[in-house]
Amino acid sequence: MSGRANSVDCKVCVIRHTGICAALTAEELDQLSRIAQVRVFKPGQVITRQADTPDFFASIVSGIVLLIETASDGRRQIVGLLFPPDFVGRPFGSRSSYAAVAASELSLCCFPYPTFGRFLNTHAGLHRRLLEHTLDELDAARKWMFLLGRKSAGERVASFLLLAARRATSFGCANNGLSNFARFSLPMTRSDIADCLGLTNETVSREITRLRRREVIEIRDNRNVVVPDLRALRLVAGDDPDSLSGMVN
Amino acid sequence: MSGRANSVDCKVCVIRHTGICAALTAEELDQLSRIAQVRVFKPGQVITRQADTPDFFASIVSGIVLLIETASDGRRQIVGLLFPPDFVGRPFGSRSSYAAVAASELSLCCFPYPTFGRFLNTHAGLHRRLLEHTLDELDAARKWMFLLGRKSAGERVASFLLLAARRATSFGCANNGLSNFARFSLPMTRSDIADCLGLTNETVSREITRLRRREVIEIRDNRNVVVPDLRALRLVAGDDPDSLSGMVN
DNA sequence: CGACACTTTGACTGTAGTCAATGTAAGTGG
DNA sequence: CCACTTACATTGACTACAGTCAAAGTGTCG
């Protein structure tokens, strides 16, 4: 079902200062580390099945998680794209209405129920951080609703590439933070991207080819993307110039 | 900008036992009432403008709130449909990326910043309740993403009517909780419904007419809807039989 | 009554979906 | 090493669903 559990040293964790645990003192962190377990997953591996009740809450340490809703007739929609230090599951537990799947090599820092809930109730700072993070996710989901409800296929694909560019570090390869240039590698198939954007894989493919022909992007090996001018891509994405668009802020 | 503030008696409030304040003891409630202000809004009145930073956090006491995202070219998407005892805004404040508009006669119980944040930090139960509520909203938003990305126009309209039926009490008129029958009145124009579903008002109108011709629904006065057989409507909506579909659980 | 806002209906268009064939790359086993 | 398989991507031809534009219908309010 998942990789083996490792003992945890939170002090040297890569998300120590960005994750929800950033709200904790060194001492509190020590307590937390005693209930934490790191688990690793392979690409495509299922973390939680739709309608399942998982037995842990987790922070993403590295890798990407897809939240996927599948209807009984097979239609799929990816309803969430999670990066470090996002979290998977609900802090007090509950049945999940969508599946969580690893989209890459993944490592999760898992906190079992109900221990984590008790810990949370006695640490207001952590509680608050979790609330703020959830509110951010909600804002991001609502932004994505605009994309799904109102954007054209071309705008959707461009928006997705912008999201990938912004998350380049998680997507693999490096890019230059503030520059107008980006280079990254896509971890998902055209079908996955389509399920994310409410399109078909054919349409995604066509729109990518069109962007390539217009020289807004360059692609090597179907995976490695170069965006010479992010502003041009942003223009195609149809975002308001001031807003920081994307599924995750 | 809004209705006048009234003094508050939380003990007799209609959402006393359903709202986030249900987490509080009588004594705590008394403290909270001292910082609360009730404000009333008329249909169509703007509560928060897009990109504004409101100065309060609020619970909906009665009425309906729409969260609306508008692009610079005029495209609109309703990204949230809020009912009592949902809340509007963020507990610790922040710039809003969408507008909040009253869809009906509305009364809000408002808590000013930063007072409410301080109150929250010292009341773990309230904090937790807020977190759970936000997680529910996030789940609901993700469910709506499936509708926007994958459902046909007919399924979308049927899903909306189901949502309205479930929220009948808020939408006006009564219905019979567990029965298979529903009667309610729609508080929104066809255009608003379209903006909710990622469609045009013409398409919404056509699909409603089609449902009427198929005798899945009856309509009087363009507003009063009767659903003789909710299961039939559910079938048209294309929901999995087991899931409690809709924007709000 | 007339003005206005909203709804419905119709004719036509266009975007994205469907179905099908071909192309490409990575991995397997003889 | 090379055929072969498999999975994924691209391209093309055609279709259909929903959008657009326009006109007529309905209801409400001053």
Side-chain angles (χ1 to χ4, degrees), chain A residues 90 138 141-142, chain B residues 67 79-83 85-87 131-143 167 247-249:
Chain A
R90 290 172 65 124
L138 182 55
R142 286 174 170 159
Chain B
L67 303 180
V79 297
L81 205 45
L82 306 180
F83 304 90
D86 295 339
F87 58 80
L131 177 55
E132 293 277 12
H133 190 99
T134 308
L135 287 161
D136 287 342
E137 291 275 352
L138 182 55
D139 275 357
R142 285 174 170 158
K143 211 156 242 167
R167 293 302 189 136
M247 197 158 204
V248 185
N249 273 326

Side-chain angles (χ1 to χ4, degrees), chain B residues 41-50 60 63-70 76 78 80-82 88 96 98-106 108 188 192:
Chain B
F41 296 83
K42 295 270 162 217
Q45 216 180 330
V46 175
I47 303 159
T48 309
R49 281 197 307 271
Q50 196 164 342
I60 302 180
I64 301 171
V65 173
L66 307 178
L67 303 180
I68 306 176
E69 180 150 358
T70 309
R76 281 160 47 103
I78 292 178
L81 205 45
L82 306 180
V88 181
S96 170
Y98 30 78
V101 178
S104 65
E105 291 289 334
L106 174 73
L108 293 182
M188 299 160 65
D192 284 341

